[in-house]
Amino acid sequence: MVYISKVYTKFGDQGDTMLASGDTVGKDTARVASYGEVDELNAVLGMLRVELLRAQSSSVGDQGAFLGELDLSLARIQQELFDLGAELAEPGAVAGKARLRVEDSDVTRIEQELDALNDALSPLTSFILPGGGPVGATAHLARTVCRRAERQAVSLSRHEPVRGEALRYLNRLSDYLFVVARAAAHRLGHAEVLWDTRRRSGSAST
């Protein structure tokens, strides 16, 4: 059980923080940066869920069911990200000592949900720009933050042990969020903006 009676402790005023293992490290270390990125990703997923709630208030037909199912998935993923953050904050996780961590079964579930969403979409013939309505745009933002969290976790793994499950989870989650952005645009009636590679040649000839 977590019990927090005071928000500030002044412990970190000199730039240090304490890991879940009890070790004191600098706030600018790769491990702290890694679980900090995961925390930011979780916050952006919270924003995405707020946009889902807004969209539900004006949904028609089966849009409400789609948004509700998506919200349930994101709620679960937020819990899993907190587990991942706890894992990254505990150096002993690789040795199997972490109390909380993500597993390959979590990765598999994300893959299954990703495939189900993607099956209803037409194949891409061009890269798309972030957009596609409020839900889609926020999902794209979450995707980019997830990629950054993955890069930071990979950077950490170059110097300290990180479980492969953690890296796979972040990699697959970014793919999932890309498909969520596309599916939301499609289901909510927002056009996807394609990357127009011809615009430069066209502008040069005018």
Side-chain angles (χ1 to χ4, degrees), residues 29-31 94 151-162:
T29 59
R31 183 167 294 279
V94 175
R151 291 194 298 270
Q152 187 61 53
V154 169
S155 179
L156 173 64
S157 73
R158 304 296 189 204
H159 308 283
E160 300 183 49
V162 176

mmCIF file with all atom_site columns, all heavy atoms in Angstrom, residues 29-31 94 151-162:
data_model
loop_
_atom_site.group_PDB
_atom_site.id
_atom_site.type_symbol
_atom_site.label_atom_id
_atom_site.label_alt_id
_atom_site.label_comp_id
_atom_site.label_asym_id
_atom_site.label_entity_id
_atom_site.label_seq_id
_atom_site.pdbx_PDB_ins_code
_atom_site.Cartn_x
_atom_site.Cartn_y
_atom_site.Cartn_z
_atom_site.occupancy
_atom_site.B_iso_or_equiv
_atom_site.pdbx_formal_charge
_atom_site.auth_seq_id
_atom_site.auth_comp_id
_atom_site.auth_asym_id
_atom_site.auth_atom_id
_atom_site.pdbx_PDB_model_num
ATOM 1   N N   . THR A 1 29  ? 20.153 11.084  -14.300 1.00 0.00 ? 29  THR A N   1
ATOM 2   C CA  . THR A 1 29  ? 20.671 9.788   -14.727 1.00 0.00 ? 29  THR A CA  1
ATOM 3   C C   . THR A 1 29  ? 19.723 9.171   -15.752 1.00 0.00 ? 29  THR A C   1
ATOM 4   O O   . THR A 1 29  ? 18.543 9.518   -15.845 1.00 0.00 ? 29  THR A O   1
ATOM 5   C CB  . THR A 1 29  ? 20.823 8.818   -13.543 1.00 0.00 ? 29  THR A CB  1
ATOM 6   O OG1 . THR A 1 29  ? 19.541 8.631   -12.928 1.00 0.00 ? 29  THR A OG1 1
ATOM 7   C CG2 . THR A 1 29  ? 21.803 9.363   -12.515 1.00 0.00 ? 29  THR A CG2 1
ATOM 8   N N   . ALA A 1 30  ? 20.263 8.225   -16.527 1.00 0.00 ? 30  ALA A N   1
ATOM 9   C CA  . ALA A 1 30  ? 19.480 7.591   -17.588 1.00 0.00 ? 30  ALA A CA  1
ATOM 10  C C   . ALA A 1 30  ? 18.271 6.851   -17.043 1.00 0.00 ? 30  ALA A C   1
ATOM 11  O O   . ALA A 1 30  ? 17.206 6.830   -17.662 1.00 0.00 ? 30  ALA A O   1
ATOM 12  C CB  . ALA A 1 30  ? 20.374 6.629   -18.377 1.00 0.00 ? 30  ALA A CB  1
ATOM 13  N N   . ARG A 1 31  ? 18.404 6.239   -15.874 1.00 0.00 ? 31  ARG A N   1
ATOM 14  C CA  . ARG A 1 31  ? 17.279 5.476   -15.314 1.00 0.00 ? 31  ARG A CA  1
ATOM 15  C C   . ARG A 1 31  ? 16.139 6.401   -14.904 1.00 0.00 ? 31  ARG A C   1
ATOM 16  O O   . ARG A 1 31  ? 14.968 6.124   -15.185 1.00 0.00 ? 31  ARG A O   1
ATOM 17  C CB  . ARG A 1 31  ? 17.747 4.626   -14.118 1.00 0.00 ? 31  ARG A CB  1
ATOM 18  C CG  . ARG A 1 31  ? 16.641 3.755   -13.531 1.00 0.00 ? 31  ARG A CG  1
ATOM 19  C CD  . ARG A 1 31  ? 17.189 2.722   -12.575 1.00 0.00 ? 31  ARG A CD  1
ATOM 20  N NE  . ARG A 1 31  ? 18.032 1.748   -13.235 1.00 0.00 ? 31  ARG A NE  1
ATOM 21  C CZ  . ARG A 1 31  ? 17.568 0.692   -13.912 1.00 0.00 ? 31  ARG A CZ  1
ATOM 22  N NH1 . ARG A 1 31  ? 16.253 0.504   -14.017 1.00 0.00 ? 31  ARG A NH1 1
ATOM 23  N NH2 . ARG A 1 31  ? 18.411 -0.149  -14.473 1.00 0.00 ? 31  ARG A NH2 1
ATOM 24  N N   . VAL A 1 94  ? 15.620 -6.795  -13.561 1.00 0.00 ? 94  VAL A N   1
ATOM 25  C CA  . VAL A 1 94  ? 16.130 -7.787  -14.499 1.00 0.00 ? 94  VAL A CA  1
ATOM 26  C C   . VAL A 1 94  ? 16.360 -9.120  -13.810 1.00 0.00 ? 94  VAL A C   1
ATOM 27  O O   . VAL A 1 94  ? 16.194 -10.180 -14.403 1.00 0.00 ? 94  VAL A O   1
ATOM 28  C CB  . VAL A 1 94  ? 17.426 -7.280  -15.153 1.00 0.00 ? 94  VAL A CB  1
ATOM 29  C CG1 . VAL A 1 94  ? 18.035 -8.342  -16.047 1.00 0.00 ? 94  VAL A CG1 1
ATOM 30  C CG2 . VAL A 1 94  ? 17.126 -6.036  -15.980 1.00 0.00 ? 94  VAL A CG2 1
ATOM 31  N N   . ARG A 1 151 ? 13.088 5.269   -26.875 1.00 0.00 ? 151 ARG A N   1
ATOM 32  C CA  . ARG A 1 151 ? 14.490 5.614   -27.134 1.00 0.00 ? 151 ARG A CA  1
ATOM 33  C C   . ARG A 1 151 ? 15.273 5.753   -25.835 1.00 0.00 ? 151 ARG A C   1
ATOM 34  O O   . ARG A 1 151 ? 16.428 5.322   -25.735 1.00 0.00 ? 151 ARG A O   1
ATOM 35  C CB  . ARG A 1 151 ? 14.570 6.919   -27.936 1.00 0.00 ? 151 ARG A CB  1
ATOM 36  C CG  . ARG A 1 151 ? 14.079 6.804   -29.360 1.00 0.00 ? 151 ARG A CG  1
ATOM 37  C CD  . ARG A 1 151 ? 14.486 8.015   -30.195 1.00 0.00 ? 151 ARG A CD  1
ATOM 38  N NE  . ARG A 1 151 ? 13.919 9.262   -29.694 1.00 0.00 ? 151 ARG A NE  1
ATOM 39  C CZ  . ARG A 1 151 ? 12.745 9.767   -30.075 1.00 0.00 ? 151 ARG A CZ  1
ATOM 40  N NH1 . ARG A 1 151 ? 11.986 9.110   -30.933 1.00 0.00 ? 151 ARG A NH1 1
ATOM 41  N NH2 . ARG A 1 151 ? 12.320 10.931  -29.597 1.00 0.00 ? 151 ARG A NH2 1
ATOM 42  N N   . GLN A 1 152 ? 14.648 6.350   -24.828 1.00 0.00 ? 152 GLN A N   1
ATOM 43  C CA  . GLN A 1 152 ? 15.327 6.528   -23.552 1.00 0.00 ? 152 GLN A CA  1
ATOM 44  C C   . GLN A 1 152 ? 15.567 5.190   -22.861 1.00 0.00 ? 152 GLN A C   1
ATOM 45  O O   . GLN A 1 152 ? 16.621 4.969   -22.247 1.00 0.00 ? 152 GLN A O   1
ATOM 46  C CB  . GLN A 1 152 ? 14.513 7.448   -22.647 1.00 0.00 ? 152 GLN A CB  1
ATOM 47  C CG  . GLN A 1 152 ? 15.209 7.832   -21.353 1.00 0.00 ? 152 GLN A CG  1
ATOM 48  C CD  . GLN A 1 152 ? 16.502 8.587   -21.594 1.00 0.00 ? 152 GLN A CD  1
ATOM 49  O OE1 . GLN A 1 152 ? 16.520 9.584   -22.320 1.00 0.00 ? 152 GLN A OE1 1
ATOM 50  N NE2 . GLN A 1 152 ? 17.586 8.134   -20.995 1.00 0.00 ? 152 GLN A NE2 1
ATOM 51  N N   . ALA A 1 153 ? 14.589 4.285   -22.965 1.00 0.00 ? 153 ALA A N   1
ATOM 52  C CA  . ALA A 1 153 ? 14.745 2.958   -22.368 1.00 0.00 ? 153 ALA A CA  1
ATOM 53  C C   . ALA A 1 153 ? 15.844 2.168   -23.083 1.00 0.00 ? 153 ALA A C   1
ATOM 54  O O   . ALA A 1 153 ? 16.622 1.452   -22.447 1.00 0.00 ? 153 ALA A O   1
ATOM 55  C CB  . ALA A 1 153 ? 13.423 2.196   -22.418 1.00 0.00 ? 153 ALA A CB  1
ATOM 56  N N   . VAL A 1 154 ? 15.912 2.313   -24.401 1.00 0.00 ? 154 VAL A N   1
ATOM 57  C CA  . VAL A 1 154 ? 16.978 1.660   -25.160 1.00 0.00 ? 154 VAL A CA  1
ATOM 58  C C   . VAL A 1 154 ? 18.334 2.239   -24.756 1.00 0.00 ? 154 VAL A C   1
ATOM 59  O O   . VAL A 1 154 ? 19.316 1.497   -24.562 1.00 0.00 ? 154 VAL A O   1
ATOM 60  C CB  . VAL A 1 154 ? 16.753 1.824   -26.673 1.00 0.00 ? 154 VAL A CB  1
ATOM 61  C CG1 . VAL A 1 154 ? 17.995 1.380   -27.455 1.00 0.00 ? 154 VAL A CG1 1
ATOM 62  C CG2 . VAL A 1 154 ? 15.546 1.019   -27.123 1.00 0.00 ? 154 VAL A CG2 1
ATOM 63  N N   . SER A 1 155 ? 18.395 3.561   -24.601 1.00 0.00 ? 155 SER A N   1
ATOM 64  C CA  . SER A 1 155 ? 19.636 4.206   -24.169 1.00 0.00 ? 155 SER A CA  1
ATOM 65  C C   . SER A 1 155 ? 20.068 3.675   -22.801 1.00 0.00 ? 155 SER A C   1
ATOM 66  O O   . SER A 1 155 ? 21.250 3.392   -22.574 1.00 0.00 ? 155 SER A O   1
ATOM 67  C CB  . SER A 1 155 ? 19.439 5.721   -24.112 1.00 0.00 ? 155 SER A CB  1
ATOM 68  O OG  . SER A 1 155 ? 20.611 6.373   -23.668 1.00 0.00 ? 155 SER A OG  1
ATOM 69  N N   . LEU A 1 156 ? 19.106 3.524   -21.899 1.00 0.00 ? 156 LEU A N   1
ATOM 70  C CA  . LEU A 1 156 ? 19.412 2.966   -20.577 1.00 0.00 ? 156 LEU A CA  1
ATOM 71  C C   . LEU A 1 156 ? 19.944 1.546   -20.704 1.00 0.00 ? 156 LEU A C   1
ATOM 72  O O   . LEU A 1 156 ? 20.898 1.162   -20.017 1.00 0.00 ? 156 LEU A O   1
ATOM 73  C CB  . LEU A 1 156 ? 18.157 2.988   -19.702 1.00 0.00 ? 156 LEU A CB  1
ATOM 74  C CG  . LEU A 1 156 ? 18.244 2.284   -18.345 1.00 0.00 ? 156 LEU A CG  1
ATOM 75  C CD1 . LEU A 1 156 ? 19.273 2.965   -17.445 1.00 0.00 ? 156 LEU A CD1 1
ATOM 76  C CD2 . LEU A 1 156 ? 16.872 2.257   -17.667 1.00 0.00 ? 156 LEU A CD2 1
ATOM 77  N N   . SER A 1 157 ? 19.355 0.769   -21.616 1.00 0.00 ? 157 SER A N   1
ATOM 78  C CA  . SER A 1 157 ? 19.741 -0.635  -21.763 1.00 0.00 ? 157 SER A CA  1
ATOM 79  C C   . SER A 1 157 ? 21.165 -0.798  -22.298 1.00 0.00 ? 157 SER A C   1
ATOM 80  O O   . SER A 1 157 ? 21.756 -1.869  -22.171 1.00 0.00 ? 157 SER A O   1
ATOM 81  C CB  . SER A 1 157 ? 18.768 -1.363  -22.696 1.00 0.00 ? 157 SER A CB  1
ATOM 82  O OG  . SER A 1 157 ? 18.960 -0.977  -24.052 1.00 0.00 ? 157 SER A OG  1
ATOM 83  N N   . ARG A 1 158 ? 21.724 0.266   -22.894 1.00 0.00 ? 158 ARG A N   1
ATOM 84  C CA  . ARG A 1 158 ? 23.105 0.195   -23.377 1.00 0.00 ? 158 ARG A CA  1
ATOM 85  C C   . ARG A 1 158 ? 24.106 0.194   -22.217 1.00 0.00 ? 158 ARG A C   1
ATOM 86  O O   . ARG A 1 158 ? 25.253 -0.213  -22.381 1.00 0.00 ? 158 ARG A O   1
ATOM 87  C CB  . ARG A 1 158 ? 23.429 1.394   -24.277 1.00 0.00 ? 158 ARG A CB  1
ATOM 88  C CG  . ARG A 1 158 ? 22.505 1.592   -25.462 1.00 0.00 ? 158 ARG A CG  1
ATOM 89  C CD  . ARG A 1 158 ? 22.550 0.459   -26.450 1.00 0.00 ? 158 ARG A CD  1
ATOM 90  N NE  . ARG A 1 158 ? 21.808 0.798   -27.672 1.00 0.00 ? 158 ARG A NE  1
ATOM 91  C CZ  . ARG A 1 158 ? 21.291 -0.093  -28.505 1.00 0.00 ? 158 ARG A CZ  1
ATOM 92  N NH1 . ARG A 1 158 ? 21.445 -1.388  -28.247 1.00 0.00 ? 158 ARG A NH1 1
ATOM 93  N NH2 . ARG A 1 158 ? 20.634 0.294   -29.582 1.00 0.00 ? 158 ARG A NH2 1
ATOM 94  N N   . HIS A 1 159 ? 23.646 0.652   -21.063 1.00 0.00 ? 159 HIS A N   1
ATOM 95  C CA  . HIS A 1 159 ? 24.553 0.801   -19.920 1.00 0.00 ? 159 HIS A CA  1
ATOM 96  C C   . HIS A 1 159 ? 24.131 -0.017  -18.703 1.00 0.00 ? 159 HIS A C   1
ATOM 97  O O   . HIS A 1 159 ? 24.965 -0.398  -17.888 1.00 0.00 ? 159 HIS A O   1
ATOM 98  C CB  . HIS A 1 159 ? 24.657 2.276   -19.526 1.00 0.00 ? 159 HIS A CB  1
ATOM 99  C CG  . HIS A 1 159 ? 24.994 3.178   -20.671 1.00 0.00 ? 159 HIS A CG  1
ATOM 100 N ND1 . HIS A 1 159 ? 26.269 3.284   -21.187 1.00 0.00 ? 159 HIS A ND1 1
ATOM 101 C CD2 . HIS A 1 159 ? 24.220 4.012   -21.416 1.00 0.00 ? 159 HIS A CD2 1
ATOM 102 C CE1 . HIS A 1 159 ? 26.273 4.138   -22.192 1.00 0.00 ? 159 HIS A CE1 1
ATOM 103 N NE2 . HIS A 1 159 ? 25.052 4.600   -22.350 1.00 0.00 ? 159 HIS A NE2 1
ATOM 104 N N   . GLU A 1 160 ? 22.831 -0.271  -18.564 1.00 0.00 ? 160 GLU A N   1
ATOM 105 C CA  . GLU A 1 160 ? 22.319 -1.032  -17.437 1.00 0.00 ? 160 GLU A CA  1
ATOM 106 C C   . GLU A 1 160 ? 21.308 -2.047  -17.955 1.00 0.00 ? 160 GLU A C   1
ATOM 107 O O   . GLU A 1 160 ? 20.662 -1.821  -18.986 1.00 0.00 ? 160 GLU A O   1
ATOM 108 C CB  . GLU A 1 160 ? 21.638 -0.107  -16.418 1.00 0.00 ? 160 GLU A CB  1
ATOM 109 C CG  . GLU A 1 160 ? 22.553 0.952   -15.824 1.00 0.00 ? 160 GLU A CG  1
ATOM 110 C CD  . GLU A 1 160 ? 21.819 1.772   -14.771 1.00 0.00 ? 160 GLU A CD  1
ATOM 111 O OE1 . GLU A 1 160 ? 21.173 1.178   -13.890 1.00 0.00 ? 160 GLU A OE1 1
ATOM 112 O OE2 . GLU A 1 160 ? 21.882 3.026   -14.844 1.00 0.00 ? 160 GLU A OE2 1
ATOM 113 N N   . PRO A 1 161 ? 21.144 -3.158  -17.241 1.00 0.00 ? 161 PRO A N   1
ATOM 114 C CA  . PRO A 1 161 ? 20.198 -4.175  -17.707 1.00 0.00 ? 161 PRO A CA  1
ATOM 115 C C   . PRO A 1 161 ? 18.752 -3.658  -17.702 1.00 0.00 ? 161 PRO A C   1
ATOM 116 O O   . PRO A 1 161 ? 18.306 -3.031  -16.747 1.00 0.00 ? 161 PRO A O   1
ATOM 117 C CB  . PRO A 1 161 ? 20.374 -5.309  -16.680 1.00 0.00 ? 161 PRO A CB  1
ATOM 118 C CG  . PRO A 1 161 ? 21.726 -5.086  -16.087 1.00 0.00 ? 161 PRO A CG  1
ATOM 119 C CD  . PRO A 1 161 ? 21.900 -3.598  -16.046 1.00 0.00 ? 161 PRO A CD  1
ATOM 120 N N   . VAL A 1 162 ? 18.052 -3.903  -18.806 1.00 0.00 ? 162 VAL A N   1
ATOM 121 C CA  . VAL A 1 162 ? 16.620 -3.617  -18.924 1.00 0.00 ? 162 VAL A CA  1
ATOM 122 C C   . VAL A 1 162 ? 15.969 -4.842  -19.543 1.00 0.00 ? 162 VAL A C   1
ATOM 123 O O   . VAL A 1 162 ? 16.468 -5.371  -20.545 1.00 0.00 ? 162 VAL A O   1
ATOM 124 C CB  . VAL A 1 162 ? 16.361 -2.375  -19.812 1.00 0.00 ? 162 VAL A CB  1
ATOM 125 C CG1 . VAL A 1 162 ? 14.860 -2.160  -20.008 1.00 0.00 ? 162 VAL A CG1 1
ATOM 126 C CG2 . VAL A 1 162 ? 16.995 -1.135  -19.199 1.00 0.00 ? 162 VAL A CG2 1
#
